[in-house]
Amino acid sequence: MAMRRRATRGPGTARTAGPEAERRPAARLRSLLHVRSIAGQVLILQVGVVLLLVVAAVVALVLQARTTSLQDAKDRSLVGAETFAHAPGTLAAMKSPDPSTLLQPRAEEARKRSGVNYVIAFSPSGVRWTHPDPRLIGRHVVGSFADALAGRVHQSTYDTPGVGRAVDTMVPVTGTDGRVVGLVSVGITVKSVNRMVTAQLPLLFGSAALGLALITGGPVLVSRRLRRQTHGLEPAEMTRMYEHHDAVLHSVREGVLVLNGEGRLQLANDEAKRLLDLPADATGRPIGELGLSPPAATLLASDRPVSDEVVLAGERLLAVNVRPTAPHGGPGGSVATLRDTTELRALAGRARIARERLQLLYDAGVRIGTTLDMVHTAEELTEIAVPRFADFATVALPTAVRRGEEPDGADPVMHRTAVRGIRGDAPLYAVGEPLTWLPAMPQARGLRAGRAVLETDLRARGDWQEQDPERARRMLDAGIHSLITVPLQARGIALGVADFWRSEQEPFTQEDLAVAEELAARAAVAIDNARRYTREHTMAATLQRSLLPRSLPEQSALEVAYRYLPAQAGVSGDWFDVIPLPGSRVALVVGDVVGHGLHAAATMGRLRTVVHNFCALDLPPDELLSHMDELVARIDETETAESEDAGITGATCLFAVYDPVSGRCCVARAGHPGPAVVGPDGMVTFPDVPVSPPLGLCAGLPVETAELELAEGSRLVLYTDGLVENRDRDLDAGLRLLAGALSARDRTPEQDCRAVLDALLPERPSDDIALLVARTRRTDPDRVAEWDVPSDPAAIPPLRAGAARRLRVWQLDDISFTTELILSELVTNAVRYGSEPIRLRLLLDRDSLICEVADGSSTSPHMRRAATTDESGRGLFLVAQFAQRWGVRYTPRGKVIWSEQSLQAPEAGDDTPGDALLDEWDESAL
């Protein structure tokens, strides 16, 4: 009513004067201070609290001042005693005959400078050496100083009449032997705290007075603030507000929650209680203790604005709006409104499922088919399907597909290629097991129909259990209840079967068929690409292996081992060869054609054939590489003219010829890594062999060679760059690893190959690797016979006789006649048509006898059939008839004509050399 009267007063009443107007403030103050009113009680309580705080502050100030003064006195006393005791000269003065004379002036000076009350030095027996009162010097100290005499610092506090509280610190002074020589005692009185406390009291009492003023004015301010908060509302207006409040609480069909700044529920209408299933005592409790789901509780307790955010509360889907109340003049907190959108839950669930399926198909498109490996692609399909689509997934492929061929349906057997599941104990067919499905099986029906087959309840169907009843029972016991089987089809060809099983998820539905078919279709395309790649790779690898040596030829100069490893992706043009040469020599070849695929493999075969042909001509390494360079250049010109897209072939090659008689090895290389040489002691070196440009790029430049002297038992290692260099390792690092792998003594070439590959072979080689290790042998000098031949026909008979004696030593009398005949013809040709120097050499190899005649001319002999009237021209013909093979090789100083006779016994029925010789001059010929 007072509010209403105030609102209806006119201007004139506000200016009325008299005793009533003067008594009004006094009455308000009395009512404010009345102990029955809450404002008066609060005021009295606040005044008492302020007075109590003032008293506590004074007491705390006094105690703190005393404590601080006492601690300061202790610290100063300790510092003074320690300083004087350890000052330079103190120990010497105490040991002097008259310590008082030396210490008393210093002690008094220290006492005056530091402001302490006394500095006393005394002997271990307690006799004073110094004292502020000289009359006390020489007298015994009062009190116990046993702790200080024991070598410890002793500090004590005592009260002295007339002086007050004081602190005394005794510090021992020890000699070099650790014994106490004397003691120093420093005392200081504790200062009074009255002045400190008195200085703080005005500030303390001023603060108390200010606090009392604020407390007394507080209720008045609170009263005025309360009126402002009610906005001066009349009772009728307040009543209408209560009515609106009741309408919000009970009639509005939208949930309303009001929370304070601490997250406690202040108000909840009936609809909010129904939607959230709030307990009856929910008001005043924190929102997190009302049994709501964590997302709902977090959202409602947040102080951020929220608009129509959907949250799941129990079985209801609610749209929540949250707004803070503080910006509108209210206390800190928030108000939330709730709308029931449960009917949208099913739609949201379908949208979520659709989104997950789209994401699954997107991930499948990215992750399936990352390699051209059928097994890996099948594994990728199972990995993407489990557990997002199925609990178990399997893939089976026919044998023909695994070989890279197209399945023709003649062989119904498939092999399990990939298996994946949420558990590893599922009784499914393991990887590698063969499968042959009965016609009633879902997989067989799917292959015949060419589409996916759905089995929603495997327990209800018995036909699929006929394949393997025991395994089917174990599958059902493991919880597997639903199946989708999909044929893997690409270009209308069934390449395999993918099975998706569920045990813990809901059974498959018709909507899942489309997802399964899409997954299978993407995997089928990738498997088909991998199959065709496998076919091409197999063809190229077969061609490449057919062009490489299948076995090494027999020879006595070297013990050879090799390794050839094709790249994981595609085939390259790396090759190697071991070619026996005349004179027990052996050629070692390692090469690499630029590029990959069938073209590189075919080019490699052509180059290997060319090397064999040039070796048949017995060309030196430099000339052989020069001819190969011209050949590769012509190949490039021809292929470039036929196809504009053809690239430069290019190739690298290293060619080495080892002579076991001399132990020399002649090496030439064109763009290829140099060889490694392992000495008999295990030391690895990389000889400096001049390098020429790769084949096809030399442009007619000369090829240089290097002569290597190899001791018997040395190992010559040839390799391609794929062994020592790859993406993760440079050439220098590869050569260091190679040297480390080869640095061992008394190892066979086969052991060297294993050690090198163990150390350098990458996990997935990106390039072909060819490795050739050859351990050298030396020909026994007793198996070599040499003669210098004069340029005189008369020297031939003695040579024949000497050769016969050597053959007799070698126990080769059975071929003595033939050897003498061949020797005579070759030496006769050299004497007649060649030039000096002429030299004859017989070389006994493992299974052959080699006869070599060297002269200084470069004329090329050739064989012809002489006419019946010719008296000459039958020499080389006879050599060709009675030698296993013969030929000519050129040297820097001339040529060598050689022949090779087999030491194996002739088969029965063969003509003897003498008979064959007589047949040449039969009666008709004569």
Side-chain angles (χ1 to χ4, degrees):
M1 296 300 294
M3 293 171 59
R4 183 176 299 175
R5 286 194 298 270
R6 180 179 180 184
T8 56
R9 278 196 295 264
T13 59
R15 290 192 297 268
T16 56
E20 183 178 358
E22 296 175 357
R23 289 194 300 269
R24 198 171 294 147
R28 290 180 180 176
L29 183 59
R30 285 195 301 271
S31 63
L32 183 64
L33 299 178
H34 198 278
V35 293
R36 293 183 179 180
S37 66
I38 294 183
Q41 295 174 359
V42 171
L43 179 61
I44 293 175
L45 178 61
Q46 291 176 339
V47 171
V49 169
V50 171
L51 293 178
L52 182 61
L53 291 176
V54 171
V55 173
V58 173
V59 173
L61 183 62
V62 173
L63 293 178
Q64 182 181 4
R66 289 186 175 180
T67 303
T68 303
S69 299
L70 180 60
Q71 186 61 40
D72 180 70
K74 289 181 178 181
D75 295 340
R76 291 179 58 195
S77 173
L78 177 61
V79 170
E82 290 280 359
T83 302
F84 189 84
H86 299 98
T90 301
L91 177 61
M94 289 183 176
K95 289 183 177 181
S96 64
D98 188 4
S100 297
T101 304
L102 298 176
L103 293 175
Q104 175 66 12
R106 298 176 60 188
E108 285 301 299
E109 182 181 4
R111 179 182 66 81
K112 294 177 182 179
R113 287 180 176 273
S114 61
V116 299
N117 292 88
Y118 60 82
V119 177
I120 301 174
F122 55 95
S123 66
S125 59
V127 178
R128 296 188 182 93
W129 288 330
T130 66
H131 196 276
D133 187 359
R135 294 174 298 176
L136 298 179
I137 296 176
R139 297 186 180 184
H140 201 279
V141 297
V142 180
S144 175
F145 52 91
D147 289 342
L149 195 60
R152 296 186 296 270
V153 176
H154 177 72
Q155 196 172 55
S156 60
T157 304
Y158 56 89
D159 293 320
T160 304
V163 178
R165 196 169 184 81
V167 175
D168 178 82
T169 301
M170 292 184 185
V171 175
V173 179
T174 58
T176 56
D177 57 354
R179 297 187 347 182
V180 177
V181 177
L183 299 98
V184 176
S185 175
V186 176
I188 185 172
T189 59
V190 180
K191 294 181 179 179
S192 175
V193 302
N194 294 334
R195 287 179 295 175
M196 183 181 300
V197 175
T198 303
Q200 301 293 332
L201 287 180
L203 178 61
L204 182 62
F205 288 131
S207 300
L210 180 61
L212 289 175
L214 294 176
I215 289 173
T216 54
V220 177
L221 297 177
V222 170
S223 177
R224 293 181 178 179
R225 181 173 179 81
L226 180 61
R227 291 184 59 83
R228 286 196 303 269
Q229 290 179 345
T230 58
H231 302 288
L233 293 178
E234 297 292 337
E237 296 173 345
M238 295 291 292
T239 301
R240 286 195 298 273
M241 291 187 62
Y242 288 132
E243 292 173 352
H244 298 163
H245 178 268
D246 290 341
V248 171
L249 286 178
H250 307 296
S251 302
V252 173
R253 303 313 301 166
E254 185 171 302
V256 178
L257 296 176
V258 178
L259 291 84
N260 62 9
E262 299 176 356
R264 293 182 177 272
L265 181 63
Q266 301 296 311
L267 176 67
N269 66 351
D270 294 346
E271 183 67 9
K273 293 177 181 179
R274 184 185 69 84
L275 294 176
L276 299 176
D277 294 327
L278 297 178
D281 58 344
T283 303
R285 293 172 58 183
I287 194 68
E289 299 178 2
L290 300 181
L292 304 180
S293 62
T298 302
L299 181 62
L300 294 174
S302 64
D303 55 355
R304 61 182 178 87
V306 175
S307 298
D308 290 330
E309 186 165 333
V310 179
V311 66
L312 186 64
E315 297 183 355
R316 296 185 177 90
L317 200 64
L318 305 179
V320 180
N321 291 273
V322 180
R323 293 292 184 275
T325 59
H328 304 286
S334 61
V335 59
T337 60
L338 314 173
R339 293 197 313 276
D340 190 359
T341 58
T342 306
E343 64 276 5
L344 300 177
R345 182 178 183 180
L347 180 60
R350 289 194 294 271
R352 177 182 57 81
I353 294 175
R355 183 173 63 253
E356 291 177 352
R357 289 176 176 173
L358 288 175
Q359 185 63 39
L360 174 65
L361 295 178
Y362 171 78
D363 293 342
V366 173
R367 294 176 52 185
I368 295 178
T370 57
T371 63
L372 291 173
D373 187 323
M374 286 179 287
V375 175
H376 188 70
T377 302
E379 292 173 349
E380 289 173 338
L381 172 60
T382 59
E383 290 174 0
I384 200 68
V386 178
R388 298 167 64 180
F389 180 70
D391 296 323
F392 300 93
T394 62
V395 176
L397 300 178
T399 304
V401 173
R402 293 165 63 91
R403 292 197 302 261
E405 304 171 0
E406 287 191 0
D408 53 5
D411 186 5
V413 180
M414 293 193 180
H415 291 267
R416 183 74 81 208
T417 306
V419 177
R420 190 174 184 86
I422 58 175
R423 302 189 308 272
D425 57 350
L428 301 171
Y429 287 98
V431 173
E433 290 192 49
L435 301 172
T436 303
W437 287 298
L438 298 177
M441 294 291 291
Q443 291 84 353
R445 290 188 278 119
L447 287 173
R448 288 195 303 269
R451 61 176 181 270
V453 175
L454 169 64
E455 295 289 348
T456 57
D457 189 358
L458 293 176
R459 290 185 178 275
R461 296 292 299 267
D463 51 0
W464 71 278
Q465 303 181 29
E466 298 176 1
Q467 177 84 22
D468 191 342
E470 176 60 25
R471 188 182 297 272
R473 183 188 60 78
R474 288 189 285 121
M475 291 174 61
L476 294 176
D477 293 342
I480 298 177
H481 56 75
S482 184
L483 163 68
I484 291 181
T485 177
V486 190
L488 299 173
Q489 297 186 105
R491 299 180 295 108
I493 302 174
L495 303 175
V497 174
D499 294 335
F500 304 98
W501 314 80
R502 281 186 178 179
S503 61
E504 298 183 2
Q505 302 183 43
E506 295 295 326
F508 287 114
T509 63
Q510 290 292 334
E511 296 179 351
D512 295 320
L513 279 176
V515 179
E517 290 177 339
E518 183 64 24
L519 289 175
R522 300 192 181 194
V525 172
I527 290 175
D528 187 51
N529 291 337
R531 178 193 63 81
R532 289 188 287 178
Y533 168 78
T534 301
R535 181 186 60 189
E536 298 294 333
H537 182 270
T538 302
M539 292 173 57
T542 303
L543 173 62
Q544 185 182 35
R545 290 192 178 276
S546 67
L547 296 175
L548 290 172
R550 298 188 179 183
S551 62
L552 297 181
E554 295 183 0
Q555 42 81 33
S556 59
L558 297 169
E559 179 185 356
V560 183
Y562 69 93
R563 290 291 188 276
Y564 180 80
L565 299 175
Q568 291 290 335
V571 295
S572 184
D574 292 15
W575 91 92
F576 66 94
D577 222 329
V578 178
I579 306 173
L581 297 176
S584 296
R585 297 170 303 133
V586 178
L588 302 176
V589 190
V590 174
D592 184 3
V593 176
V594 176
H596 292 78
L598 289 173
H599 177 71
T603 303
M604 177 268 290
R606 297 165 71 179
L607 294 182
R608 182 167 177 259
T609 302
V610 168
V611 171
H612 274 267
N613 292 335
F614 288 151
C615 286
L617 299 176
D618 210 347
L619 296 179
D622 52 347
E623 293 186 21
L624 185 143
L625 291 183
S626 297
H627 288 300
M628 288 185 65
D629 174 65
E630 296 176 1
L631 173 66
V632 173
R634 285 198 301 270
I635 292 175
D636 287 340
E637 293 176 359
T638 303
E639 295 184 351
T640 304
E642 294 177 355
S643 174
E644 296 181 356
D645 297 333
I648 296 177
T649 300
T652 65
C653 183
L654 185 147
F655 189 82
V657 176
Y658 173 70
D659 186 354
V661 178
S662 64
R664 293 189 180 92
C665 182
C666 183
V667 184
R669 61 182 177 131
H672 201 85
V677 176
V678 186
D681 57 353
M683 179 178 294
V684 181
T685 60
F686 294 93
D688 184 14
V689 179
V691 59
S692 301
L695 301 178
L697 303 176
C698 288
L701 296 176
V703 178
E704 300 182 50
T705 61
E707 289 281 347
L708 306 179
E709 292 284 347
L710 301 180
E712 185 173 9
S714 300
R715 285 165 282 166
L716 185 64
V717 182
L718 311 182
Y719 50 89
T720 56
D721 57 357
L723 178 68
V724 295
E725 190 174 13
N726 54 43
R727 297 174 182 174
D728 303 324
R729 183 176 62 219
D730 59 14
L731 180 60
D732 293 337
L735 293 179
R736 287 194 297 269
L737 290 175
L738 178 62
L742 293 171
S743 59
R745 300 179 59 183
D746 301 329
R747 249 191 348 211
T748 64
E750 186 67 27
Q751 293 172 336
D752 278 332
C753 289
R754 286 197 296 267
V756 169
L757 292 185
D758 290 342
L760 281 84
L761 184 64
E763 183 177 354
R764 291 183 61 86
S766 59
D767 194 6
D768 289 7
I769 294 175
L771 174 65
L772 198 62
V773 181
R775 184 164 63 181
T776 61
R777 298 171 179 154
R778 294 292 292 272
T779 302
D780 190 348
D782 293 338
R783 300 172 71 89
V784 181
E786 294 182 290
W787 294 271
D788 292 326
V789 180
S791 183
D792 184 1
I796 297 177
L799 287 177
R800 285 201 305 265
R805 289 192 298 271
R806 175 62 67 173
L807 293 177
R808 193 175 304 114
V809 173
W810 289 342
Q811 298 179 359
L812 298 177
D813 294 332
D814 53 341
I815 63 170
S816 177
F817 178 79
T818 306
T819 305
E820 291 181 32
L821 176 62
I822 294 174
L823 181 151
S824 298
E825 294 298 332
L826 295 181
V827 174
T828 300
N829 280 338
V831 171
R832 180 176 298 180
Y833 303 109
S835 60
E836 293 184 340
I838 302 174
R839 191 168 183 81
L840 169 65
R841 184 172 75 169
L842 293 180
L843 177 63
L844 180 60
D845 201 356
R846 181 182 54 181
D847 56 357
S848 61
L849 177 66
I850 302 169
C851 178
E852 297 179 343
V853 177
D855 67 85
S857 69
S858 59
T859 58
S860 175
H862 61 279
M863 185 176 61
R864 64 181 180 87
R865 182 177 293 273
T868 56
T869 58
D870 290 341
E871 296 182 359
S872 62
R874 296 179 178 87
L876 291 180
F877 182 80
L878 292 175
V879 172
Q881 288 294 316
F882 297 115
Q884 185 178 10
R885 57 179 182 150
W886 74 281
V888 180
R889 72 172 180 269
Y890 294 92
T891 65
R893 296 180 180 84
K895 68 178 182 295
V896 176
I897 303 177
W898 57 270
S899 68
E900 184 176 320
Q901 297 171 257
S902 176
L903 301 181
Q904 297 178 356
E907 296 183 0
D910 292 346
D911 293 336
T912 62
D915 295 336
L917 179 61
L918 293 176
D919 289 341
E920 293 294 322
W921 282 275
D922 56 9
E923 294 181 358
S924 61
L926 297 174

